[in-house]
Amino acid sequence: MTDSSAPLGQCPSCDREIPAAWKIIEYDHGDGNTGVFAECPDCDAVVKPR
Ligand SMILES: [Zn+2]
């Protein structure tokens, strides 16, 4: 099984589910967690999915 196509999360502005394909970059928090920035299809802006 793979979850590579799982949604990244929801847009903090409009609550839209953001597909994995909209991911822009991943970054390392430095504490073992990985954050991600993505473009929201609705807001047409870079957001941090939650
Ligand atoms: Zn949005």
Side-chain angles (χ1 to χ4, degrees), residues 6-28:
L8 300 173
Q10 290 176 303
C11 173
S13 296
C14 68
D15 286 336
R16 189 197 202 283
E17 195 171 75
I18 300 179
W22 290 77
K23 178 167 69 180
I24 295 173
I25 194 171
E26 278 183 6
Y27 63 94
D28 193 339

Side-chain angles (χ1 to χ4, degrees), residues 27-36 48:
Y27 63 94
D28 193 339
H29 282 292
D31 60 2
N33 292 315
T34 302
V36 61
K48 189 173 181 294

